[in-house]
């Protein structure tokens, strides 16, 4: 990958800088939909991909966040450039793309910048729909999966705990999630804008996951003439249909249903298209000239993009949704500054907590060395003066222990209070040099 400062920022010196946290990813902002869907990790495949990352020589922890807008790998690594190569290869394997093709669309951040990015993702600032609330649950699920697979350890657990906290604060302390703040609701709003209304419309929703559920609820609120729900698992479709007074449709009857409906909304976890060009072509011939609107927000896409070329069909996907959302989020833009302020504070708090945690071993080492010196001197004094009785020995122990504690109190306080800042790094280096730690 070339030295792209807009995506990477300051490149670490490979001979000096050791990097703990690295995130590499591809998103709706960095890549076309065709490439983004090739990088998507299906829910069932996440454990395997976590194992692939954790098995890399320079990776000790890993979390994979894969949504309709992004696929990102958060890892704890030792050396930036070595880990960078492993992460790039990971994305090339996912997408089937050559490194040269992937490099133009990947972004990579490390340490505080990686943390700040996760906090922006969890807060909805990086979403196609500004402030969308679904992403916070998706981040939590990604973290939970990594913990269950044993690939998230101390560092990433701390990072994602702060990320969830930042996302919650953004939503409770600002109006960033006000209005249409979900991908599923935005998809229905986009359909309504195109059709004018859903009243007297017959709607078919394919899928039964979180996105499909959100679309079903939004559709029901718009007062359609009829709602049908189809899904690979019939029981899930039946439950969702019953929730809005709709009807369950066997997935095998999809083509016949498309002859009758006015709007198809789809969002499944399928890894290949479930609505192909030939089937829709036949459907249109049976519709007697009636137009069909299809909104596909699945990534990878559920509907063959070639369907858009069939006369009488309008096909809208995530690219269209991004444009629609950009036009409709002006009211929430005013909240971005408030969210950014929260995230800046959360990033500083995370950095301080992380550095303080890393400072603990140094403080422990300092105190351990001082205690070893104290004990040696006590033993030497007692050996030279065997006449000292037990009471005097106990008093000597108390006095020397108190002396060591008092001498180390100020250095310990200074190290802890300066953690996370340049001063803390200088103090830590000085302590290591002065006491040969």
């Amino acid at each position: 990958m070339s030295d792209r400062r807009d995506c990477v920022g300051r490149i670490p010196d490979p001979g000096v800088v050791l990097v703990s946290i690295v995130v590499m990813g591809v998103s709706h902002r960095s890549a076309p939909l065709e490439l983004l869907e090739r990088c998507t990790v299906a829910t069932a495949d996440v454990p395997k991909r976590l194992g692939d990352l954790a098995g890399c020589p320079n990776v000790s922890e890993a979390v994979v966040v894969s949504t309709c807008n992004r696929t990102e790998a958060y890892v704890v690594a030792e050396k930036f450039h070595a880990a960078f190569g492993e992460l790039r290869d990971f994305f090339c394997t996912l997408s089937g793309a050559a490194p040269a093709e992937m490099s133009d669309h990947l972004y990579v951040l490390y340490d505080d910048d990686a943390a700040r990015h996760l906090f922006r993702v969890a807060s909805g600032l990086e979403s196609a729909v500004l402030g969308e609330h679904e992403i916070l649950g998706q981040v939590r699920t990604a973290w939970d999966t990594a913990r269950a697979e044993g690939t998230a350890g101390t560092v990433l657990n701390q990072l994602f705990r702060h990320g969830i906290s930042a996302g919650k604060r953004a939503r409770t302390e600002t109006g960033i999630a006000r209005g249409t703040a979900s991908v599923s609701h935005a998809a229905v709003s986009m359909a309504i804008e195109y059709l004018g209304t859903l009243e007297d419309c017959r709607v078919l929703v394919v899928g039964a996951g979180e996105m499909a559920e959100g679309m079903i609820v939004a559709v029901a609120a718009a007062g359609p003439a009829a709602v049908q729900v189809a899904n690979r698992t019939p029981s899930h479709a039946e439950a969702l249909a019953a929730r809005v007074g709709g009807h369950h449709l066997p997935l095998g009857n999809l083509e016949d249903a498309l002859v009758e409906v006015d709007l198809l909304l789809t969002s499944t976890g399928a890894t290949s298209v479930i609505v192909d060009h030939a089937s829709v072509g036949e459907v249109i011939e049976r519709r007697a000239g009636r137009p069909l609107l299809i909104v596909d927000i699945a990534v990878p896409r559920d509907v063959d993009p070639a369907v858009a070329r069939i006369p009488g069909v309008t096909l809208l996907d995530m690219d269209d949704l991004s444009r629609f959302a950009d036009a409709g989020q002006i009211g929430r833009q005013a909240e971005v500054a408030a969210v950014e302020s929260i995230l800046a504070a959360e990033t500083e708090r995370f950095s301080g907590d992380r550095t303080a945690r890393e400072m603990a071993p140094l403080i422990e080492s300092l105190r351990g060395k001082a205690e070893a010196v104290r004990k040696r001197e006590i033993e030497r004094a007692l050996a030279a003066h065997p006449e000292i009785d037990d009471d005097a020995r106990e008093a000597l122990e108390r006095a020397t222990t108190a002396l060591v504690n008092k001498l180390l109190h100020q250095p310990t306080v200074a190290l802890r209070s300066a953690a996370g800042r340049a001063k803390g790094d200088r103090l830590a280096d000085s302590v290591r040099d002065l006491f040969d730690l």
Side-chain angles (χ1 to χ4, degrees):
M1 181 175 177
S2 61
D3 183 353
R4 296 183 67 205
R5 305 289 169 169
D6 57 329
C7 290
V8 178
R10 179 174 56 85
I11 306 294
D13 182 339
V16 178
V17 181
L18 296 180
V19 182
S20 293
I21 300 173
V22 178
V23 57
M24 181 178 286
V26 59
S27 77
H28 67 105
R29 294 184 176 180
S30 73
L33 183 55
E34 292 80 6
L35 181 60
L36 181 59
E37 62 187 352
R38 286 158 56 190
C39 293
T40 301
V41 181
T43 301
D45 293 336
V46 171
K48 178 185 183 305
R49 297 306 182 184
L50 287 171
D52 292 343
L53 283 171
C56 293
N58 290 281
V59 171
S60 57
E61 298 182 31
V63 175
V64 172
V65 178
S66 187
T67 73
C68 60
N69 287 160
R70 70 191 54 77
T71 295
E72 297 178 338
Y74 293 81
V75 305
V76 172
E78 294 187 11
K79 294 183 178 179
F80 178 88
H81 285 69
F84 172 86
E86 292 167 355
L87 288 172
R88 183 198 58 199
D89 291 346
F90 171 78
F91 278 93
C92 289
T93 299
L94 276 183
S95 64
E101 180 185 357
M102 283 303 306
S103 293
D104 287 337
H105 303 289
L106 287 169
Y107 48 87
V108 57
L109 302 161
Y110 66 96
D111 284 348
D112 285 355
D113 287 338
R116 186 177 299 107
H117 176 77
L118 175 63
F119 299 170
R120 287 179 59 85
V121 169
S123 300
L125 293 189
E126 295 292 325
S127 296
V129 178
L130 183 66
E132 58 115 341
H133 59 75
E134 288 133 333
I135 184 60
L136 186 59
Q138 292 166 335
V139 169
R140 182 187 292 277
T141 297
W143 178 31
D144 288 343
T145 301
R147 285 190 292 174
E149 295 298 318
T151 64
T154 302
V155 177
L156 291 188
N157 283 337
Q158 184 184 29
L159 172 66
F160 275 78
R161 190 175 295 111
H162 277 265
I164 297 299
S165 175
K168 288 181 176 178
R169 283 193 62 192
R171 286 163 175 77
T172 58
E173 297 178 25
T174 76
I176 195 66
R178 186 183 301 123
T180 302
S182 74
V183 172
S184 52
H185 283 217
V188 175
S189 296
M190 182 170 62
I192 292 173
E193 181 175 272
Y194 182 85
L195 294 172
T197 180
L198 290 190
E199 293 181 9
D200 300 324
C201 287
R202 289 160 294 184
V203 181
L204 171 59
V205 179
V206 179
E210 182 180 0
M211 291 291 186
E213 181 179 2
M215 289 194 295
I216 290 166
V217 171
V219 163
V227 178
Q228 291 178 297
V229 182
N231 186 57
R232 192 169 300 170
T233 305
S235 59
H236 293 169
E238 291 172 1
L240 285 177
R243 178 176 171 182
V244 297
H247 301 282
H248 159 244
L249 174 75
L251 201 55
N253 297 347
L254 186 60
E255 190 171 326
D256 288 338
L258 286 177
V259 174
E260 304 298 331
V261 301
D262 303 292
L263 168 64
L264 168 63
L265 297 163
T266 179
S267 178
T268 76
T271 56
S272 59
V273 297
I274 60 174
V275 179
D276 58 41
H277 180 275
S279 297
V280 177
E282 294 175 4
V283 164
I284 291 300
E285 289 182 1
R286 298 167 57 189
R287 288 177 63 87
R290 289 185 297 109
L292 174 63
L293 174 62
I294 301 176
V295 177
D296 178 10
I297 61 169
V299 180
R301 284 172 284 193
D302 287 331
V303 182
D304 183 350
V307 166
R309 297 197 294 268
I310 299 175
V313 176
T314 299
L315 174 60
L316 306 177
D317 58 21
M318 282 300 299
D319 284 341
D320 299 292
L321 183 65
S322 295
R323 289 188 286 269
F324 172 79
D326 286 343
Q329 61 194 22
I330 296 175
R332 290 197 299 279
Q333 284 286 356
E335 301 296 321
V336 171
V339 174
E340 293 281 16
S341 178
I342 290 173
L343 300 191
E346 287 291 334
T347 302
E348 183 176 356
R349 186 164 70 92
F350 167 74
S351 181
D353 288 353
R354 179 180 170 217
T355 309
R357 184 187 293 269
E358 293 174 350
M359 197 73 82
L362 175 61
I363 293 172
E364 183 178 351
S365 179
L366 174 63
R367 289 188 167 275
K369 187 158 191 175
E371 179 63 12
V373 170
R374 185 191 73 80
K375 286 184 175 180
R376 284 199 302 270
E377 293 305 313
I378 288 288
E379 290 171 359
R380 186 177 293 129
L382 293 178
H385 300 280
E387 72 278 5
I388 294 178
D389 60 23
D390 290 343
D391 288 342
R393 291 185 180 207
E394 186 177 342
L396 190 59
E397 284 281 353
R398 288 198 301 269
T400 54
T401 297
L403 179 62
V404 167
N405 287 338
K406 287 182 182 296
L407 286 173
L408 294 184
H409 174 71
Q410 187 55 40
T412 299
V413 170
L415 285 170
R416 285 175 175 161
S417 63
R421 293 181 286 142
K423 180 181 179 181
D425 294 337
R426 293 196 299 271
L427 287 176
D429 289 341
S430 296
V431 168
R432 290 189 186 96
D433 290 342
L434 289 170
F435 293 92
D436 191 25
L437 300 176

